[in-house]
Amino acid sequence: MPHFIAEITDNIEQQADLPGLFEKVHATLGASGVFPLGGIRSRAVRLDTWRMADGKHDYAFVHMTLKVGHGRDLETRTQVAEQLFAVITEHFAALQAERLLALSFEMIELHPQLNFKQNNVHAFLKNQAG
Protein backbone atom coordinates (compact mmCIF):
# COMPACT_ATOMS: atom_id res chain seq x y z
CA MET A 1 0.00 0.00 0.00
CA PRO A 2 -0.76 2.71 -1.05
CA HIS A 3 -2.56 2.27 -4.33
CA PHE A 4 -3.27 5.32 -6.48
CA ILE A 5 -6.15 4.95 -8.94
CA ALA A 6 -7.07 7.54 -11.55
CA GLU A 7 -10.44 7.26 -13.29
CA ILE A 8 -10.16 9.39 -16.42
CA THR A 9 -12.61 10.33 -19.14
CA ASP A 10 -11.59 9.07 -22.55
CA ASN A 11 -11.60 12.55 -24.12
CA ILE A 12 -8.43 13.65 -22.28
CA GLU A 13 -6.47 10.41 -22.20
CA GLN A 14 -3.80 11.66 -24.63
CA GLN A 15 -3.32 15.05 -22.96
CA ALA A 16 -3.36 13.87 -19.34
CA ASP A 17 0.19 12.42 -19.29
CA LEU A 18 -0.67 9.72 -16.79
CA PRO A 19 2.84 8.20 -16.81
CA GLY A 20 4.15 11.62 -15.79
CA LEU A 21 1.49 11.93 -13.10
CA PHE A 22 2.30 8.48 -11.74
CA GLU A 23 6.01 9.34 -11.60
CA LYS A 24 5.18 12.43 -9.53
CA VAL A 25 2.79 10.49 -7.29
CA HIS A 26 5.41 7.82 -6.57
CA ALA A 27 8.08 10.45 -5.88
CA THR A 28 5.76 12.32 -3.50
CA LEU A 29 4.60 9.23 -1.63
CA GLY A 30 8.12 7.79 -1.46
CA ALA A 31 9.59 11.05 -0.15
CA SER A 32 6.86 11.34 2.49
CA GLY A 33 8.54 8.68 4.63
CA VAL A 34 5.09 7.28 5.36
CA PHE A 35 4.91 4.49 2.78
CA PRO A 36 7.42 1.86 1.67
CA LEU A 37 8.38 2.18 -2.00
CA GLY A 38 7.64 -1.50 -2.70
CA GLY A 39 3.98 -1.04 -1.88
CA ILE A 40 3.26 2.02 -4.01
CA ARG A 41 1.21 1.23 -7.13
CA SER A 42 -0.58 3.41 -9.64
CA ARG A 43 -3.11 2.58 -12.30
CA ALA A 44 -5.62 4.27 -14.55
CA VAL A 45 -9.14 3.31 -15.45
CA ARG A 46 -10.28 4.79 -18.75
CA LEU A 47 -13.96 5.72 -18.77
CA ASP A 48 -15.53 5.16 -22.16
CA THR A 49 -19.12 5.62 -21.02
CA TRP A 50 -19.81 8.61 -18.81
CA ARG A 51 -21.73 11.88 -18.59
CA MET A 52 -20.95 15.10 -16.80
CA ALA A 53 -23.16 18.03 -15.87
CA ASP A 54 -25.65 18.90 -18.65
CA GLY A 55 -23.73 16.90 -21.26
CA LYS A 56 -23.75 19.88 -23.65
CA HIS A 57 -20.05 20.71 -23.60
CA ASP A 58 -16.73 18.93 -23.91
CA TYR A 59 -16.39 18.32 -20.19
CA ALA A 60 -13.77 16.02 -18.72
CA PHE A 61 -12.87 14.73 -15.30
CA VAL A 62 -10.28 12.78 -13.40
CA HIS A 63 -11.30 11.22 -10.10
CA MET A 64 -8.35 9.93 -8.12
CA THR A 65 -8.30 7.68 -5.09
CA LEU A 66 -5.44 6.78 -2.81
CA LYS A 67 -6.11 3.59 -0.87
CA VAL A 68 -3.90 3.26 2.20
CA GLY A 69 -3.50 0.61 4.85
CA HIS A 70 -4.88 1.15 8.32
CA GLY A 71 -2.82 2.56 11.14
CA ARG A 72 -1.70 6.09 10.32
CA ASP A 73 -3.14 8.95 12.32
CA LEU A 74 -5.44 11.53 10.74
CA GLU A 75 -2.80 14.28 10.85
CA THR A 76 -0.34 12.15 8.86
CA ARG A 77 -2.97 11.12 6.32
CA THR A 78 -4.13 14.71 5.94
CA GLN A 79 -0.58 15.95 5.37
CA VAL A 80 0.09 13.32 2.69
CA ALA A 81 -3.30 13.94 1.03
CA GLU A 82 -2.72 17.69 0.87
CA GLN A 83 0.78 17.25 -0.57
CA LEU A 84 -0.50 14.81 -3.16
CA PHE A 85 -3.44 17.00 -4.19
CA ALA A 86 -1.01 19.90 -4.69
CA VAL A 87 1.03 17.67 -7.03
CA ILE A 88 -2.15 16.60 -8.86
CA THR A 89 -3.46 20.13 -9.36
CA GLU A 90 -0.05 21.33 -10.58
CA HIS A 91 0.16 18.41 -13.01
CA PHE A 92 -3.23 19.22 -14.54
CA ALA A 93 -2.98 23.05 -14.33
CA ALA A 94 -2.15 23.64 -17.99
CA LEU A 95 -4.84 21.26 -19.21
CA GLN A 96 -7.41 22.79 -16.87
CA ALA A 97 -6.52 26.25 -18.20
CA GLU A 98 -7.37 25.05 -21.73
CA ARG A 99 -10.63 23.17 -21.18
CA LEU A 100 -13.45 22.26 -18.82
CA LEU A 101 -11.87 19.79 -16.39
CA ALA A 102 -12.95 18.65 -12.94
CA LEU A 103 -10.39 17.10 -10.62
CA SER A 104 -11.29 15.20 -7.48
CA PHE A 105 -9.18 13.22 -5.03
CA GLU A 106 -9.91 11.17 -1.94
CA MET A 107 -7.85 9.08 0.43
CA ILE A 108 -9.44 5.90 1.73
CA GLU A 109 -8.13 3.96 4.71
CA LEU A 110 -8.74 0.25 4.32
CA HIS A 111 -10.27 -1.88 7.06
CA PRO A 112 -7.58 -3.35 9.35
CA GLN A 113 -8.97 -6.91 9.38
CA LEU A 114 -10.44 -7.08 5.87
CA ASN A 115 -7.37 -6.04 3.89
CA PHE A 116 -5.29 -8.98 2.67
CA LYS A 117 -2.03 -8.86 0.75
CA GLN A 118 1.07 -10.82 -0.11
CA ASN A 119 4.07 -9.05 -1.63
CA ASN A 120 7.66 -10.15 -2.26
CA VAL A 121 8.71 -6.79 -3.74
CA HIS A 122 9.71 -5.34 -0.35
CA ALA A 123 12.31 -8.07 0.20
CA PHE A 124 13.55 -7.70 -3.38
CA LEU A 125 14.10 -3.95 -2.98
CA LYS A 126 15.79 -4.46 0.39
CA ASN A 127 18.21 -6.95 -1.18
CA GLN A 128 18.88 -4.56 -4.07
CA ALA A 129 19.87 -1.81 -1.63
CA GLY A 130 22.22 -4.07 0.33
Side-chain angles (χ1 to χ4, degrees), residues 2 29 34 46 54 58 69 75 84-85 88-89 110 118-119 123 130:
L29 294 175
V34 177
R46 177 187 156 141
D54 58 12
D58 188 27
E75 182 179 347
L84 196 54
F85 193 61
I88 289 166
T89 55
L110 300 175
Q118 183 174 342
N119 181 348

Side-chain angles (χ1 to χ4, degrees), residues 6-123:
E7 298 174 65
I8 181 169
T9 56
D10 59 350
N11 61 339
I12 59 166
E13 182 179 18
Q14 299 304 313
Q15 299 82 24
D17 183 21
L18 293 177
L21 174 63
F22 293 166
E23 183 177 342
K24 295 169 190 173
V25 166
H26 284 237
T28 301
L29 294 175
S32 74
V34 177
F35 305 104
L37 183 61
I40 303 171
R41 299 181 194 131
S42 293
R43 58 190 173 272
V45 178
R46 177 187 156 141
L47 303 173
D48 295 320
T49 305
W50 57 276
R51 183 180 170 100
M52 185 172 170
D54 58 12
K56 294 180 181 180
H57 302 279
D58 188 27
Y59 300 114
F61 69 84
V62 185
H63 175 70
M64 292 147 284
T65 304
L66 183 68
K67 295 183 179 186
V68 301
H70 177 75
R72 294 164 187 94
D73 61 55
L74 180 60
E75 182 179 347
T76 299
R77 287 181 283 140
T78 300
Q79 183 179 11
V80 169
E82 289 174 350
Q83 289 172 350
L84 196 54
F85 193 61
V87 167
I88 289 166
T89 55
E90 175 63 27
H91 178 82
F92 286 106
L95 185 57
Q96 198 167 41
E98 296 173 3
R99 62 167 303 123
L100 296 166
L101 174 61
L103 302 173
S104 56
F105 169 70
E106 64 180 328
M107 180 186 284
I108 298 173
E109 183 181 48
L110 300 175
H111 191 278
Q113 285 84 37
L114 300 176
N115 177 24
F116 304 91
K117 52 192 159 224
Q118 183 174 342
N119 181 348
N120 64 4
V121 176
H122 298 288

